[in-house]
């Protein structure tokens, strides 16, 4: 479940979906050093200190390439050394942070793919991989290492609930 939440957060960042209640009403803010828009090819490229925010989500990278088909988002690629993501959840869960060298979102098949030194963290839990694919429709995650590496997962133990504060006095 942990990687699924992260992948969903990354998808939300790239596609402009919401993370917190009311985010649909929030503006998307994008800044970069320069932009190249090629309407004939349906490509918008933002380069240099790319920073995208919307509500509780933030993405930073070196380059963002948006692909459009008939003015609909068909996909996005974010490149960086590394690309950094942060997702503040709308409930009591702590923020999720992730980084990778490349993120690809294919809207036509509903897949988010992170490649190159993928690292996802939340509350001290950590997921490391070289390649992570998330199928948005089936909520399926496939992670793989390179030929000389493996995926690594670190899960912190659950903290015991503070029973003294929650317990009612007994007669």
């Amino acid at each position: 479940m942990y990687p699924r939440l992260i992948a969903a957060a990354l998808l939300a960042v790239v596609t402009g979906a919401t993370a917190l209640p009311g985010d649909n009403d929030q503006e998307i803010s994008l800044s970069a050093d320069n932009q190249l828009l090629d309407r004939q090819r349906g490509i918008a490229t933002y380069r240099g200190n790319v920073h995208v925010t919307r509500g509780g989500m933030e993405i930073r990278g070196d380059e963002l390439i948006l692909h459009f088909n008939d003015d609909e988002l068909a996909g996005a690629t974010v490149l960086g050394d590394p690309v950094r993501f942060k997702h503040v959840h709308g409930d009591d869960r702590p923020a999720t942070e992730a980084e990778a060298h490349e993120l690809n979102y294919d809207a036509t098949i509903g897949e988010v793919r992170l490649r190159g030194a993928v690292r996802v963290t939340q509350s001290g839990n950590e997921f490391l991989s070289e390649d992570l694919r998330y199928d948005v429709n089936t909520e399926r995650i496939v992670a793989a290492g390179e030929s000389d590496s493996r995926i690594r997962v670190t899960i912190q133990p659950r903290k015991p609930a503070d029973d003294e504060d929650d317990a009612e006095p007994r007669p």
Side-chain angles (χ1 to χ4, degrees):
M1 183 166 158
Y2 167 69
R4 183 180 74 195
L5 294 173
I6 294 197
L10 299 177
L11 169 66
V13 169
V14 173
T15 63
T18 63
L20 296 171
D23 272 359
N24 273 336
D25 300 327
Q26 299 290 320
E27 67 183 23
I28 296 172
S29 174
L30 189 153
S31 64
D33 292 340
N34 61 66
Q35 174 200 24
L36 173 63
L37 177 61
D38 186 338
R39 266 189 83 79
Q40 286 186 333
R41 292 180 45 211
I43 298 174
T45 304
Y46 301 88
R47 288 192 179 110
N49 300 310
V50 175
H51 185 209
V52 181
T53 60
R54 183 176 194 189
M57 293 176 287
E58 178 179 26
I59 183 170
R60 291 181 181 271
D62 299 325
E63 184 173 16
L64 168 63
I65 305 163
L66 302 174
H67 303 272
F68 295 92
N69 188 5
D70 295 327
D71 291 329
E72 292 288 325
L73 181 67
T77 300
V78 185
L79 303 171
D81 194 18
V83 174
R84 296 184 191 275
F85 309 90
K86 185 172 183 179
H87 177 215
V88 176
H89 302 281
D91 51 24
D92 291 336
R93 289 177 294 154
T96 300
E97 296 186 37
E99 61 183 48
H101 292 298
E102 180 178 338
L103 177 140
N104 292 292
Y105 169 61
D106 186 333
T108 59
I109 62 172
E111 181 180 86
V112 175
R113 186 169 189 180
L114 298 167
R115 291 195 282 193
V118 177
R119 179 180 182 192
V120 181
T121 59
Q122 182 184 53
S123 294
N125 298 317
E126 184 175 64
F127 179 86
L128 302 169
S129 174
E130 283 300 313
D131 190 355
L132 182 143
R133 289 182 292 145
Y134 175 66
D135 185 315
V136 176
N137 301 314
T138 64
E139 296 185 351
R140 182 176 180 203
I141 294 175
V142 177
E146 293 290 315
S147 61
D148 60 345
S149 69
R150 299 167 47 101
I151 66 163
R152 293 190 331 217
V153 179
T154 304
I155 301 172
Q156 299 299 319
R158 285 190 179 194
K159 295 179 182 171
D162 188 4
D163 294 329
E164 293 177 20
D165 292 339
D166 296 333
E168 293 182 9
R170 294 185 185 203

